[in-house]
Amino acid sequence: MVIYNHFVWVVRSEHYDPSRSVVLTGFMGAGKTTVGSLVANLLNRPFYDLDEIILQSYGEAPFNLMLEGDEQKFREIEKNTAFELLRKRPSVIAFGGGTMEDARVREKALSSSFVVYLKASFSTLWERIQSSNTFRPLAQKLGRDGLERLLAQREANYDKAHFTVFAELYEPAFLAKVIRH
């Protein structure tokens, strides 16, 4: 554990290896896409945003599955795409907010990559979700209270990451530099 500017950065450094991919995880609104693209630039690696890859490959249809009540089918597409991205090495990958919920994807990411959890309070996440133009079907479906419960459910799997960064307190460029080191 490292104390930095009065905040704790949880580091499991035995998992860091510069030849491994970096995977960013966390709830929607945590900044995975923004920070991930900056980390990729710093490391001179390709950047893959799982949600963007799904959108490019399938259009909005998979995301609409969640609105229509078929989240299981969306998660299957997400899982297959995540496995595909985890084979691309070394790179920087921004997982979707629910990707770490799949045990097989989670174990593959933890065993093959350096996984970073971008952590933020629910109030910060909600503010970012509300001010974003990003299409977020779960936010539409669940609303504020439902999303807060969902974050609480997912927290245990996010906490399995090798490195936790408190994303609400610093600018994305600073977070990217912390992750790079």
Side-chain angles (χ1 to χ4, degrees):
M1 210 179 301
V2 178
I3 305 294
Y4 193 84
N5 276 1
H6 308 290
F7 298 99
V8 178
W9 304 80
V10 180
V11 184
R12 294 174 182 89
S13 58
E14 69 273 11
H15 296 285
Y16 179 75
D17 176 344
S19 67
R20 296 172 104 182
S21 290
V22 175
V23 171
L24 301 177
T25 192
F27 205 66
M28 66 179 84
K32 298 179 298 289
T33 299
T34 302
V35 174
S37 64
L38 294 170
V39 171
N41 285 336
L42 289 172
L43 294 174
N44 196 27
R45 293 182 181 184
F47 173 65
Y48 303 102
D49 181 311
L50 181 64
D51 288 341
E52 188 59 35
I53 300 285
I54 292 171
L55 190 58
Q56 288 172 4
S57 299
Y58 298 92
E60 285 189 15
F63 297 103
N64 287 334
L65 290 170
M66 285 198 276
L67 290 174
E68 296 163 4
D70 198 353
E71 186 175 346
Q72 179 98 12
K73 191 168 184 179
F74 170 77
R75 294 298 174 196
E76 186 66 25
I77 292 168
E78 180 183 55
K79 176 184 73 174
N80 293 336
T81 306
F83 277 125
E84 216 176 281
L85 293 177
L86 287 168
R87 285 191 286 272
K88 297 178 185 246
R89 312 198 38 90
S91 60
V92 177
I93 304 165
F95 271 3
T99 310
M100 289 286 280
E101 293 300 294
D102 184 284
R104 290 181 297 172
V105 172
R106 183 175 59 251
E107 291 309 313
K108 177 68 174 169
L110 289 168
S111 67
S112 68
S113 305
F114 184 64
V115 181
V116 178
Y117 171 25
L118 296 183
K119 184 176 182 124
S121 68
F122 181 76
S123 60
T124 296
L125 295 169
W126 180 248
E127 184 179 304
R128 291 177 182 178
I129 291 165
Q130 291 296 292
S131 65
S132 170
N133 291 330
T134 304
F135 177 59
R136 301 186 189 275
L138 274 180
Q140 285 182 325
K141 182 179 177 183
L142 300 177
R144 187 185 199 289
D145 292 341
L147 286 181
E148 192 166 16
R149 285 190 299 275
L150 185 61
L151 173 61
Q153 291 169 2
R154 290 180 175 176
E155 198 87 49
N157 285 325
Y158 293 150
D159 283 336
K160 292 177 182 172
H162 303 122
F163 186 35
T164 298
V165 179
F166 295 90
E168 66 189 298
L169 303 171
Y170 299 101
E171 293 297 316
F174 178 77
L175 295 173
K177 287 177 185 174
V178 169
I179 293 166
R180 177 193 66 188
H181 289 101

